[in-house]
Amino acid sequence: MNKNEPKLKKYPGEKSALRFFDSENKEDMLRLRKIVEHKDVQDMMDSVAGMSKRDRYDWADEKGAYGRYFMFAVAGTEAIFEERKEEIGKVQGFVYLYAGSDERKIAKRMVRAGFLKETEIEDKMIFEISFAKLPQAPGGQISSAVRQACLEVKRITKANNETGVFVFCFIDEGNAGSKRVVEACGFERRGKHFYEADSAEMSALYVLDYKKLQEIEKLKNVKD
């Protein structure tokens, strides 16, 4: 790996690695553009529809901003690219964790609807998570990256003396692939509800169980 490339972080037993995007790297930004402009991603994520070049560059620079916005690049490793060394360290997708006022409002609404307990979110940073892969990237990388991203955010948040982390996501019922990803990361389904008050259809609500995630990582560590 070139010394100027962003440093990779990989947990034992995992297939993919994490790093932040480099907005000064043309290939990083080209790959991010390919991801967000893909039809499937546009259909799943309203927030990327109409995203400008400036928006993409600003997004790529969210490297833990305010301790609440983490835009991770999923990076290729030898575990996936044994015969394509040129893909090692290159962007294969993204995992985004974000904790703003909107995310807290959504969680509060889910408490009122009976899907969450107030104690689950009380005094915690509330993150929503989204993810997508590069269209031509091999499978099996995103779930690995999601697990690591959730653990990294918890580690960083703890280092910043925050009290705890709560992670959730909503997934369209027809999106079987994303459901498999989160279920392989320790998320549990809580039911169906409207993501926003004016949403036309209900989506599945998933909540991360960090204990389950840690058990998954322990098993992977042993197998490694």
Side-chain angles (χ1 to χ4, degrees):
M1 185 174 68
N2 186 296
K3 67 178 181 179
N4 293 321
E5 289 183 350
K7 185 178 180 180
L8 302 180
K9 180 153 191 175
K10 180 178 177 294
Y11 281 60
E14 291 292 358
K15 291 183 178 180
S16 59
L18 290 182
R19 64 173 173 83
F20 288 121
F21 281 87
D22 180 359
S23 60
E24 296 183 0
N25 182 301
K26 290 182 179 180
E27 186 167 8
D28 267 23
M29 299 312 298
L30 175 60
R31 290 187 179 213
L32 180 57
R33 179 181 177 181
K34 286 181 178 179
I35 295 167
V36 300
E37 291 186 351
H38 192 270
K39 182 181 182 300
D40 290 346
V41 178
Q42 294 266 326
D43 290 343
M44 290 187 297
M45 298 177 62
D46 293 339
S47 59
V48 303
M51 183 175 272
S52 68
K53 181 178 179 180
R54 183 69 265 163
D55 291 336
R56 290 195 303 273
Y57 275 75
D58 289 343
W59 198 24
D61 281 331
E62 290 189 5
K63 304 173 182 181
Y66 310 107
R68 294 179 177 273
Y69 302 94
F70 296 85
M71 179 61 165
F72 293 106
V74 181
T77 68
E78 194 167 344
I80 297 290
F81 296 104
E82 187 176 356
E83 297 180 0
R84 294 170 58 195
K85 305 291 187 185
E86 71 277 5
E87 285 296 311
I88 295 175
K90 299 297 177 62
V91 173
Q92 307 296 314
F94 71 78
V95 180
Y96 185 43
L97 285 115
Y98 40 104
S101 58
D102 287 344
E103 287 66 53
R104 181 164 292 278
K105 288 177 183 177
I106 293 170
K108 289 282 191 181
R109 186 157 52 84
M110 292 305 101
V111 170
R112 293 194 296 272
F115 293 102
L116 305 177
K117 296 178 181 178
E118 181 68 37
T119 53
E120 291 182 273
I121 64 171
E122 192 174 24
D123 297 325
K124 291 182 180 177
M125 292 184 67
I126 300 172
F127 286 91
E128 188 171 358
I129 188 170
S130 59
F131 48 84
K133 81 177 189 75
L134 188 69
Q136 69 268 28
Q141 299 183 86
I142 299 300
S143 58
S144 176
V146 167
R147 287 191 291 269
Q148 295 175 83
C150 290
L151 290 169
E152 276 296 285
V153 166
K154 186 173 184 179
R155 180 187 66 79
I156 294 167
T157 301
K158 185 176 180 180
N160 290 341
N161 296 316
E162 296 287 351
T163 55
V165 174
F166 179 87
V167 183
F168 76 93
C169 63
F170 279 86
I171 299 177
D172 289 347
E173 285 290 17
N175 190 349
S178 290
K179 289 180 182 179
R180 286 194 295 270
V181 166
V182 297
E183 288 166 1
C185 299
F187 283 76
E188 60 178 25
R189 179 175 173 138
R190 293 293 180 89
K192 291 172 60 175
H193 206 275
F194 296 104
Y195 175 67
E196 295 178 342
D198 59 352
S199 295
E201 297 180 0
M202 288 186 174
S203 300
L205 170 64
Y206 281 87
V207 171
L208 177 59
D209 183 333
Y210 265 106
K211 289 183 179 179
K212 286 184 180 180
L213 173 55
Q214 288 164 347
E215 286 300 317
I216 293 169
E217 285 301 309
K218 284 180 183 178
L219 290 173
K220 289 187 170 294
N221 200 348
V222 170
K223 292 178 181 179
D224 195 41

